[in-house]
Amino acid sequence: MSGFAIKGGVAALGLGLALAAAPAAAADLSCDGKRFVFFPGGPEGGAFASIVYNGAVLAAEHTGCQVDYVWSDWNPAKMVQQFKEAIARRPDGIALMGHPGEAALGNLVDEARSKGIIVTTQNVDLPTSEGKYKADGMGYVGATLYEAGSFLGQGTVRNCGLQAGDQALVWGLLGQEARGQRTKGVIDALEAAGVTVEYLEISDSTNKDAATGTPVFASFAASHPNLKAVVTDHGALTATLGTYLRAAGKQPDQVCGAGFDLSAATAQGIEEGYIDVVLDQQPFLQGYLPIVQLYLTSKFGFAGMNIDTGAALITSDNIALVAPLAAEAIR
């Protein structure tokens, strides 16, 4: 009996080892049959939106997911209409920019979720909706808006050498409920340092095409001869700062330029001395990671990720490190 038991035990051990050695069934990682809608935000070919788009395209290639792209010209009303149209198409997921705010988008997010559509956000968050649907994959990839504005405002004071009583222009988007928080952060930080802030709202036309703001800035600069700094709360306007300042007859470093988002044109502006400090919110990640979010949630049920991408200030001291990537529309 003992010999049989030993032999039986050896046989069982051998079977166990064989099972352990057998390869486990491979998990299905494909994105076959999944279809997403992605909002790059701005006009097709725009400096910032193109980098967001490039990130999303790479993520689609890496995951194998089918992605349709919707361009919005940075127009909140257009975003709302396009979101309604995207919901009607019944995709598996939508990656949306939250510029119109909770009041305009909250009910639509509810509608999308009631139809089984995953919704996530980039660039501008929807914190109330995210709180409701985080377990269902609603996350956010982008800067924390007010804090990012405050961070750039403080960096502008420091890098421009601004003193109490100096005059600065903030050209922003206070009129947009959610998006305007970043503009407010800039203004609050400047005023906390005693800087006198003049404000211009970015018009719809300039929001869509930054070049149309050239005569607006030239006129403002002519009527404000003591202007020490200008902060543009818009990536495309920041990229156009050199054009604005030259049109106003300003030499490099005569008026300190500050703004958001790196691009090839912005890198050139820093190198030429027309732009002194930029907050880089890494828009490539705002394209790449939301597609990954939709893939992971639709495939494996992962909850929403909240990722702050806006933590770096770019100046003449470090532009050489990232300018080649800006030229490739990656940074």
Side-chain angles (χ1 to χ4, degrees):
M1 290 292 292
S2 61
F4 177 80
I6 292 172
K7 289 178 181 178
V10 170
L13 177 61
L15 177 60
L17 290 174
L19 289 173
D28 176 13
L29 303 179
S30 76
C31 199
D32 290 345
K34 304 292 185 186
R35 184 169 57 90
F36 304 140
V37 175
F38 184 87
F39 285 68
E44 188 169 4
F48 182 89
S50 292
I51 301 174
V52 177
Y53 170 76
N54 288 344
V57 168
L58 184 61
E61 292 176 0
H62 285 171
T63 60
C65 300
Q66 178 184 337
V67 182
D68 298 325
Y69 301 95
V70 178
W71 303 90
S72 308
D73 299 326
W74 302 119
N75 186 310
K78 194 171 184 178
M79 289 179 181
V80 172
Q81 181 59 36
Q82 290 171 331
F83 187 29
K84 292 177 181 177
E85 294 167 357
I87 293 170
R89 290 156 63 183
R90 295 291 187 103
D92 296 283
I94 300 172
L96 176 73
M97 292 201 169
H99 293 65
E102 296 277 7
L105 295 176
N107 289 339
L108 293 175
V109 174
D110 292 339
E111 179 185 345
R113 288 301 308 139
S114 73
K115 295 178 178 178
I117 301 169
I118 302 161
V119 179
T120 194
T121 55
Q122 63 272 0
N123 193 251
V124 175
D125 61 347
L126 298 171
T128 300
S129 294
E130 185 180 341
K132 289 171 65 176
Y133 298 116
K134 193 173 187 67
D136 300 310
M138 188 165 187
Y140 173 63
V141 180
T144 305
L145 294 177
Y146 182 86
E147 286 77 4
S150 180
F151 187 39
L152 178 65
Q154 294 170 42
T156 301
V157 171
R158 183 171 59 253
N159 285 275
C160 296
L162 297 180
Q163 304 293 323
D166 283 347
Q167 185 181 75
L169 167 65
V170 175
W171 203 353
L173 291 163
L174 284 177
Q176 295 184 19
E177 172 200 343
R179 175 64 175 76
Q181 288 300 304
R182 195 170 74 177
T183 301
K184 187 176 188 303
V186 173
I187 292 172
D188 287 353
L190 293 175
E191 290 183 339
V195 175
T196 300
V197 175
E198 303 290 339
Y199 178 73
L200 285 177
E201 181 78 8
I202 298 171
S203 68
D204 287 344
S205 60
T206 302
N207 202 5
K208 179 180 179 180
D209 181 1
T212 65
T214 303
V216 176
F217 180 79
S219 176
F220 180 91
S223 62
H224 294 77
N226 296 321
L227 185 66
K228 295 292 182 65
V230 53
V231 184
T232 48
D233 186 9
H234 192 297
L237 272 69
T238 302
T240 315
L241 266 173
T243 299
Y244 296 154
L245 289 163
R246 281 189 289 267
K250 304 298 183 182
Q251 298 299 314
D253 297 316
Q254 187 176 352
V255 173
C256 189
F260 290 89
D261 309 322
L262 196 61
S263 68
T266 301
Q268 181 179 345
I270 293 173
E271 292 167 343
E272 292 175 344
Y274 283 106
I275 304 174
D276 293 82
V277 57
V278 169
L279 188 142
D280 176 20
Q281 59 172 325
Q282 303 179 100
F284 191 90
L285 295 180
Q286 296 180 19
Y288 189 92
L289 293 176
I291 298 299
V292 173
Q293 173 75 72
L294 294 177
Y295 163 71
L296 291 175
T297 300
S298 64
K299 192 71 180 179
F300 307 112
F302 280 103
M305 303 177 288
N306 190 299
I307 300 173
D308 183 359
T309 65
L313 291 179
I314 307 299
T315 69
S316 60
D317 292 335
N318 56 7
I319 186 59
L321 298 174
V322 293
L325 295 173
E328 296 293 330
I330 295 173
R331 289 290 297 275

Short mmCIF file of all heavy atoms in Angstrom, two decimals, residues 151-204:
data_model
loop_
_atom_site.label_atom_id
_atom_site.label_comp_id
_atom_site.label_asym_id
_atom_site.label_seq_id
_atom_site.Cartn_x
_atom_site.Cartn_y
_atom_site.Cartn_z
N PHE A 151 -0.20 79.37 -10.85
CA PHE A 151 1.22 78.99 -11.00
C PHE A 151 1.89 79.84 -12.08
O PHE A 151 2.99 80.35 -11.89
CB PHE A 151 1.29 77.51 -11.34
CG PHE A 151 2.68 76.93 -11.35
CD1 PHE A 151 3.63 77.29 -10.41
CD2 PHE A 151 3.04 75.99 -12.32
CE1 PHE A 151 4.91 76.74 -10.42
CE2 PHE A 151 4.31 75.44 -12.34
CZ PHE A 151 5.25 75.82 -11.39
N LEU A 152 1.20 80.01 -13.23
CA LEU A 152 1.77 80.84 -14.28
C LEU A 152 1.82 82.30 -13.85
O LEU A 152 2.80 83.00 -14.14
CB LEU A 152 0.98 80.71 -15.58
CG LEU A 152 1.52 81.59 -16.70
CD1 LEU A 152 2.92 81.17 -17.14
CD2 LEU A 152 0.58 81.62 -17.91
N GLY A 153 0.77 82.78 -13.16
CA GLY A 153 0.77 84.16 -12.69
C GLY A 153 1.97 84.45 -11.79
O GLY A 153 2.65 85.47 -11.94
N GLN A 154 2.23 83.54 -10.86
CA GLN A 154 3.39 83.70 -9.98
C GLN A 154 4.69 83.64 -10.78
O GLN A 154 5.63 84.40 -10.52
CB GLN A 154 3.37 82.61 -8.92
CG GLN A 154 2.20 82.70 -7.95
CD GLN A 154 2.10 81.48 -7.06
OE1 GLN A 154 3.09 80.96 -6.57
NE2 GLN A 154 0.89 80.99 -6.87
N GLY A 155 4.73 82.72 -11.74
CA GLY A 155 5.93 82.62 -12.58
C GLY A 155 6.14 83.86 -13.43
O GLY A 155 7.28 84.25 -13.71
N THR A 156 5.05 84.49 -13.85
CA THR A 156 5.15 85.72 -14.64
C THR A 156 5.73 86.85 -13.79
O THR A 156 6.62 87.60 -14.23
CB THR A 156 3.77 86.13 -15.17
OG1 THR A 156 3.25 85.07 -15.99
CG2 THR A 156 3.85 87.40 -16.00
N VAL A 157 5.26 86.99 -12.57
CA VAL A 157 5.80 88.01 -11.65
C VAL A 157 7.30 87.80 -11.48
O VAL A 157 8.10 88.74 -11.58
CB VAL A 157 5.08 87.95 -10.29
CG1 VAL A 157 5.79 88.85 -9.28
CG2 VAL A 157 3.62 88.36 -10.44
N ARG A 158 7.68 86.56 -11.27
CA ARG A 158 9.09 86.25 -10.99
C ARG A 158 9.96 86.44 -12.24
O ARG A 158 11.01 87.10 -12.19
CB ARG A 158 9.18 84.81 -10.47
CG ARG A 158 10.58 84.37 -10.06
CD ARG A 158 10.52 83.03 -9.35
NE ARG A 158 9.93 81.98 -10.17
CZ ARG A 158 8.72 81.46 -9.99
NH1 ARG A 158 7.94 81.90 -9.01
NH2 ARG A 158 8.28 80.50 -10.77
N ASN A 159 9.56 85.83 -13.35
CA ASN A 159 10.40 85.85 -14.55
C ASN A 159 10.38 87.19 -15.27
O ASN A 159 11.35 87.52 -15.97
CB ASN A 159 9.95 84.74 -15.51
CG ASN A 159 10.39 83.36 -15.05
OD1 ASN A 159 11.49 82.92 -15.31
ND2 ASN A 159 9.50 82.67 -14.34
N CYS A 160 9.32 87.95 -15.10
CA CYS A 160 9.24 89.27 -15.74
C CYS A 160 9.74 90.38 -14.82
O CYS A 160 9.80 91.54 -15.24
CB CYS A 160 7.80 89.56 -16.16
SG CYS A 160 7.15 88.44 -17.42
N GLY A 161 10.04 90.03 -13.58
CA GLY A 161 10.51 91.04 -12.63
C GLY A 161 9.47 92.10 -12.33
O GLY A 161 9.81 93.28 -12.14
N LEU A 162 8.21 91.72 -12.28
CA LEU A 162 7.14 92.70 -12.07
C LEU A 162 7.13 93.20 -10.63
O LEU A 162 7.38 92.45 -9.69
CB LEU A 162 5.79 92.07 -12.41
CG LEU A 162 5.58 91.64 -13.86
CD1 LEU A 162 4.20 91.04 -14.04
CD2 LEU A 162 5.79 92.80 -14.83
N GLN A 163 6.82 94.48 -10.49
CA GLN A 163 6.74 95.12 -9.19
C GLN A 163 5.31 95.63 -8.96
O GLN A 163 4.53 95.77 -9.90
CB GLN A 163 7.72 96.30 -9.13
CG GLN A 163 9.16 95.93 -9.43
CD GLN A 163 9.77 95.03 -8.37
OE1 GLN A 163 9.48 95.19 -7.19
NE2 GLN A 163 10.60 94.08 -8.81
N ALA A 164 5.00 95.93 -7.71
CA ALA A 164 3.70 96.50 -7.39
C ALA A 164 3.49 97.78 -8.19
O ALA A 164 4.39 98.63 -8.27
CB ALA A 164 3.60 96.79 -5.89
N GLY A 165 2.34 97.91 -8.80
CA GLY A 165 2.02 99.08 -9.62
C GLY A 165 2.31 98.90 -11.09
O GLY A 165 1.84 99.70 -11.91
N ASP A 166 3.08 97.86 -11.47
CA ASP A 166 3.33 97.60 -12.89
C ASP A 166 2.02 97.17 -13.55
O ASP A 166 1.13 96.58 -12.92
CB ASP A 166 4.38 96.49 -13.06
CG ASP A 166 5.79 96.99 -12.82
OD1 ASP A 166 5.99 98.22 -12.76
OD2 ASP A 166 6.71 96.15 -12.69
N GLN A 167 1.93 97.44 -14.84
CA GLN A 167 0.70 97.15 -15.59
C GLN A 167 0.89 95.90 -16.45
O GLN A 167 1.87 95.76 -17.18
CB GLN A 167 0.36 98.35 -16.47
CG GLN A 167 -0.96 98.23 -17.21
CD GLN A 167 -1.20 99.45 -18.09
OE1 GLN A 167 -0.59 99.59 -19.14
NE2 GLN A 167 -2.08 100.36 -17.64
N ALA A 168 -0.08 94.98 -16.36
CA ALA A 168 -0.05 93.76 -17.17
C ALA A 168 -1.41 93.52 -17.81
O ALA A 168 -2.45 93.80 -17.20
CB ALA A 168 0.34 92.55 -16.31
N LEU A 169 -1.40 93.02 -19.03
CA LEU A 169 -2.62 92.63 -19.72
C LEU A 169 -2.81 91.13 -19.55
O LEU A 169 -1.88 90.34 -19.79
CB LEU A 169 -2.52 92.97 -21.20
CG LEU A 169 -3.60 92.32 -22.11
CD1 LEU A 169 -4.99 92.85 -21.77
CD2 LEU A 169 -3.27 92.55 -23.59
N VAL A 170 -4.01 90.72 -19.16
CA VAL A 170 -4.40 89.31 -19.22
C VAL A 170 -5.47 89.18 -20.29
O VAL A 170 -6.52 89.82 -20.22
CB VAL A 170 -4.94 88.81 -17.86
CG1 VAL A 170 -5.45 87.38 -18.00
CG2 VAL A 170 -3.85 88.88 -16.79
N TRP A 171 -5.18 88.39 -21.30
CA TRP A 171 -6.08 88.17 -22.43
C TRP A 171 -6.62 86.76 -22.27
O TRP A 171 -5.92 85.78 -22.53
CB TRP A 171 -5.29 88.30 -23.72
CG TRP A 171 -6.08 88.64 -24.95
CD1 TRP A 171 -7.43 88.72 -25.08
CD2 TRP A 171 -5.53 88.94 -26.23
NE1 TRP A 171 -7.77 89.04 -26.36
CE2 TRP A 171 -6.63 89.20 -27.09
CE3 TRP A 171 -4.23 89.02 -26.73
CZ2 TRP A 171 -6.45 89.52 -28.43
CZ3 TRP A 171 -4.05 89.35 -28.06
CH2 TRP A 171 -5.15 89.60 -28.91
N GLY A 172 -7.86 86.64 -21.77
CA GLY A 172 -8.33 85.33 -21.37
C GLY A 172 -9.77 85.02 -21.67
O GLY A 172 -10.39 85.62 -22.56
N LEU A 173 -10.31 84.08 -20.88
CA LEU A 173 -11.63 83.52 -21.17
C LEU A 173 -12.49 83.45 -19.91
O LEU A 173 -13.11 82.43 -19.61
CB LEU A 173 -11.48 82.12 -21.78
CG LEU A 173 -10.88 82.09 -23.19
CD1 LEU A 173 -10.39 80.70 -23.56
CD2 LEU A 173 -11.91 82.56 -24.22
N LEU A 174 -12.56 84.55 -19.18
CA LEU A 174 -13.38 84.59 -17.98
C LEU A 174 -14.86 84.32 -18.29
O LEU A 174 -15.60 83.86 -17.41
CB LEU A 174 -13.27 85.96 -17.29
CG LEU A 174 -11.99 86.25 -16.50
CD1 LEU A 174 -12.03 87.68 -15.97
CD2 LEU A 174 -11.82 85.26 -15.35
N GLY A 175 -15.28 84.59 -19.51
CA GLY A 175 -16.68 84.41 -19.87
C GLY A 175 -17.12 82.97 -19.94
O GLY A 175 -18.32 82.70 -20.01
N GLN A 176 -16.17 82.03 -19.92
CA GLN A 176 -16.52 80.61 -19.96
C GLN A 176 -16.47 80.05 -18.54
O GLN A 176 -15.43 80.09 -17.88
CB GLN A 176 -15.57 79.85 -20.87
CG GLN A 176 -15.66 80.27 -22.33
CD GLN A 176 -14.78 79.42 -23.23
OE1 GLN A 176 -14.36 78.33 -22.88
NE2 GLN A 176 -14.51 79.94 -24.44
N GLU A 177 -17.59 79.50 -18.10
CA GLU A 177 -17.76 79.09 -16.70
C GLU A 177 -16.61 78.22 -16.18
O GLU A 177 -16.01 78.53 -15.15
CB GLU A 177 -19.07 78.30 -16.56
CG GLU A 177 -19.27 77.66 -15.20
CD GLU A 177 -20.29 76.53 -15.22
OE1 GLU A 177 -21.07 76.45 -16.17
OE2 GLU A 177 -20.28 75.73 -14.28
N ALA A 178 -16.31 77.14 -16.87
CA ALA A 178 -15.28 76.21 -16.39
C ALA A 178 -13.89 76.64 -16.84
O ALA A 178 -12.97 76.78 -16.04
CB ALA A 178 -15.59 74.80 -16.88
N ARG A 179 -13.75 76.88 -18.12
CA ARG A 179 -12.45 77.24 -18.70
C ARG A 179 -11.88 78.51 -18.09
O ARG A 179 -10.66 78.67 -17.95
CB ARG A 179 -12.64 77.38 -20.21
CG ARG A 179 -11.43 77.85 -20.98
CD ARG A 179 -10.28 76.87 -20.92
NE ARG A 179 -9.23 77.36 -21.77
CZ ARG A 179 -8.41 78.35 -21.46
NH1 ARG A 179 -8.52 78.94 -20.29
NH2 ARG A 179 -7.47 78.73 -22.31
N GLY A 180 -12.77 79.43 -17.69
CA GLY A 180 -12.33 80.71 -17.15
C GLY A 180 -11.62 80.64 -15.82
O GLY A 180 -11.00 81.63 -15.39
N GLN A 181 -11.66 79.49 -15.15
CA GLN A 181 -10.97 79.37 -13.87
C GLN A 181 -9.46 79.56 -14.01
O GLN A 181 -8.81 80.06 -13.10
CB GLN A 181 -11.27 78.00 -13.24
CG GLN A 181 -12.68 77.86 -12.71
CD GLN A 181 -12.97 78.90 -11.63
OE1 GLN A 181 -12.26 78.99 -10.63
NE2 GLN A 181 -14.00 79.69 -11.84
N ARG A 182 -8.92 79.16 -15.16
CA ARG A 182 -7.48 79.34 -15.34
C ARG A 182 -7.14 80.82 -15.48
O ARG A 182 -6.15 81.29 -14.91
CB ARG A 182 -7.00 78.55 -16.56
CG ARG A 182 -5.49 78.38 -16.60
CD ARG A 182 -5.07 77.41 -17.66
NE ARG A 182 -5.18 77.96 -19.00
CZ ARG A 182 -4.81 77.31 -20.11
NH1 ARG A 182 -4.33 76.09 -20.02
NH2 ARG A 182 -4.93 77.88 -21.29
N THR A 183 -7.96 81.56 -16.22
CA THR A 183 -7.76 83.00 -16.34
C THR A 183 -7.85 83.67 -14.98
O THR A 183 -7.04 84.55 -14.65
CB THR A 183 -8.81 83.61 -17.30
OG1 THR A 183 -8.70 83.00 -18.58
CG2 THR A 183 -8.63 85.11 -17.43
N LYS A 184 -8.83 83.25 -14.19
CA LYS A 184 -9.00 83.82 -12.86
C LYS A 184 -7.77 83.56 -11.99
O LYS A 184 -7.34 84.44 -11.22
CB LYS A 184 -10.25 83.26 -12.19
CG LYS A 184 -10.60 83.93 -10.85
CD LYS A 184 -11.90 83.39 -10.29
CE LYS A 184 -12.34 84.19 -9.07
NZ LYS A 184 -11.33 84.23 -7.99
N GLY A 185 -7.20 82.38 -12.10
CA GLY A 185 -6.00 82.07 -11.34
C GLY A 185 -4.84 82.98 -11.68
O GLY A 185 -4.09 83.43 -10.79
N VAL A 186 -4.68 83.28 -12.98
CA VAL A 186 -3.62 84.20 -13.42
C VAL A 186 -3.84 85.58 -12.80
O VAL A 186 -2.93 86.18 -12.22
CB VAL A 186 -3.58 84.32 -14.95
CG1 VAL A 186 -2.60 85.41 -15.37
CG2 VAL A 186 -3.20 82.99 -15.59
N ILE A 187 -5.06 86.11 -12.94
CA ILE A 187 -5.37 87.46 -12.45
C ILE A 187 -5.17 87.55 -10.94
O ILE A 187 -4.55 88.51 -10.44
CB ILE A 187 -6.82 87.83 -12.83
CG1 ILE A 187 -6.93 87.99 -14.35
CG2 ILE A 187 -7.25 89.12 -12.14
CD1 ILE A 187 -8.35 88.16 -14.85
N ASP A 188 -5.65 86.56 -10.21
CA ASP A 188 -5.53 86.60 -8.75
C ASP A 188 -4.06 86.62 -8.32
O ASP A 188 -3.68 87.33 -7.39
CB ASP A 188 -6.23 85.40 -8.12
CG ASP A 188 -7.75 85.52 -8.17
OD1 ASP A 188 -8.25 86.59 -8.56
OD2 ASP A 188 -8.44 84.54 -7.81
N ALA A 189 -3.22 85.82 -9.00
CA ALA A 189 -1.80 85.78 -8.64
C ALA A 189 -1.11 87.10 -8.94
O ALA A 189 -0.28 87.58 -8.14
CB ALA A 189 -1.11 84.64 -9.38
N LEU A 190 -1.43 87.71 -10.07
CA LEU A 190 -0.83 89.00 -10.41
C LEU A 190 -1.27 90.08 -9.43
O LEU A 190 -0.44 90.88 -8.94
CB LEU A 190 -1.21 89.40 -11.83
CG LEU A 190 -0.64 88.55 -12.97
CD1 LEU A 190 -1.22 89.00 -14.31
CD2 LEU A 190 0.88 88.63 -13.01
N GLU A 191 -2.55 90.12 -9.12
CA GLU A 191 -3.06 91.14 -8.21
C GLU A 191 -2.53 90.93 -6.80
O GLU A 191 -2.31 91.91 -6.08
CB GLU A 191 -4.58 91.14 -8.23
CG GLU A 191 -5.14 91.66 -9.56
CD GLU A 191 -6.65 91.74 -9.58
OE1 GLU A 191 -7.30 91.05 -8.76
OE2 GLU A 191 -7.20 92.49 -10.42
N ALA A 192 -2.29 89.68 -6.42
CA ALA A 192 -1.72 89.42 -5.09
C ALA A 192 -0.32 90.01 -4.97
O ALA A 192 0.13 90.34 -3.87
CB ALA A 192 -1.68 87.92 -4.82
N ALA A 193 0.37 90.16 -6.10
CA ALA A 193 1.71 90.76 -6.12
C ALA A 193 1.66 92.28 -6.31
O ALA A 193 2.70 92.92 -6.44
CB ALA A 193 2.54 90.13 -7.23
N GLY A 194 0.44 92.85 -6.35
CA GLY A 194 0.30 94.29 -6.49
C GLY A 194 0.33 94.79 -7.91
O GLY A 194 0.36 96.01 -8.15
N VAL A 195 0.30 93.87 -8.88
CA VAL A 195 0.32 94.26 -10.29
C VAL A 195 -1.06 94.78 -10.70
O VAL A 195 -2.09 94.23 -10.30
CB VAL A 195 0.72 93.06 -11.17
CG1 VAL A 195 0.63 93.41 -12.66
CG2 VAL A 195 2.14 92.60 -10.82
N THR A 196 -1.09 95.83 -11.48
CA THR A 196 -2.34 96.37 -12.01
C THR A 196 -2.72 95.57 -13.26
O THR A 196 -1.97 95.55 -14.24
CB THR A 196 -2.19 97.86 -12.38
OG1 THR A 196 -1.85 98.59 -11.22
CG2 THR A 196 -3.49 98.40 -12.97
N VAL A 197 -3.86 94.90 -13.21
CA VAL A 197 -4.26 94.01 -14.29
C VAL A 197 -5.30 94.68 -15.18
O VAL A 197 -6.33 95.15 -14.70
CB VAL A 197 -4.81 92.68 -13.74
CG1 VAL A 197 -5.33 91.80 -14.88
CG2 VAL A 197 -3.73 91.93 -12.95
N GLU A 198 -5.02 94.72 -16.48
CA GLU A 198 -6.00 95.09 -17.50
C GLU A 198 -6.47 93.79 -18.14
O GLU A 198 -5.68 92.86 -18.34
CB GLU A 198 -5.37 96.00 -18.55
CG GLU A 198 -4.77 97.27 -18.01
CD GLU A 198 -5.81 98.25 -17.49
OE1 GLU A 198 -7.00 98.12 -17.92
OE2 GLU A 198 -5.47 99.13 -16.68
N TYR A 199 -7.75 93.72 -18.48
CA TYR A 199 -8.28 92.45 -18.98
C TYR A 199 -8.97 92.62 -20.32
O TYR A 199 -9.70 93.58 -20.56
CB TYR A 199 -9.28 91.85 -17.98
CG TYR A 199 -9.89 90.57 -18.49
CD1 TYR A 199 -9.12 89.40 -18.53
CD2 TYR A 199 -11.18 90.53 -18.97
CE1 TYR A 199 -9.66 88.22 -19.03
CE2 TYR A 199 -11.72 89.35 -19.48
CZ TYR A 199 -10.96 88.20 -19.51
OH TYR A 199 -11.48 87.02 -20.02
N LEU A 200 -8.73 91.65 -21.22
CA LEU A 200 -9.46 91.54 -22.49
C LEU A 200 -10.01 90.12 -22.60
O LEU A 200 -9.29 89.14 -22.34
CB LEU A 200 -8.53 91.80 -23.68
CG LEU A 200 -8.11 93.24 -23.98
CD1 LEU A 200 -7.15 93.25 -25.17
CD2 LEU A 200 -9.34 94.09 -24.31
N GLU A 201 -11.26 90.02 -23.00
CA GLU A 201 -11.85 88.70 -23.28
C GLU A 201 -11.49 88.29 -24.70
O GLU A 201 -11.56 89.09 -25.64
CB GLU A 201 -13.37 88.76 -23.13
CG GLU A 201 -14.08 87.45 -23.36
CD GLU A 201 -14.01 86.48 -22.18
OE1 GLU A 201 -13.51 86.90 -21.10
OE2 GLU A 201 -14.47 85.34 -22.33
N ILE A 202 -11.07 87.05 -24.87
CA ILE A 202 -10.75 86.53 -26.20
C ILE A 202 -12.06 86.36 -26.97
O ILE A 202 -12.97 85.65 -26.52
CB ILE A 202 -10.00 85.19 -26.11
CG1 ILE A 202 -8.67 85.37 -25.36
CG2 ILE A 202 -9.75 84.62 -27.49
CD1 ILE A 202 -7.97 84.07 -25.03
N SER A 203 -12.16 86.99 -28.12
CA SER A 203 -13.38 86.91 -28.92
C SER A 203 -13.50 85.54 -29.58
O SER A 203 -12.52 84.79 -29.68
CB SER A 203 -13.37 88.00 -29.99
OG SER A 203 -12.36 87.73 -30.95
N ASP A 204 -14.70 85.22 -30.06
CA ASP A 204 -14.90 83.95 -30.75
C ASP A 204 -14.00 83.84 -31.98
O ASP A 204 -13.46 82.76 -32.27
CB ASP A 204 -16.37 83.80 -31.16
CG ASP A 204 -17.29 83.53 -29.98
OD1 ASP A 204 -16.79 83.15 -28.90
OD2 ASP A 204 -18.52 83.69 -30.13
#
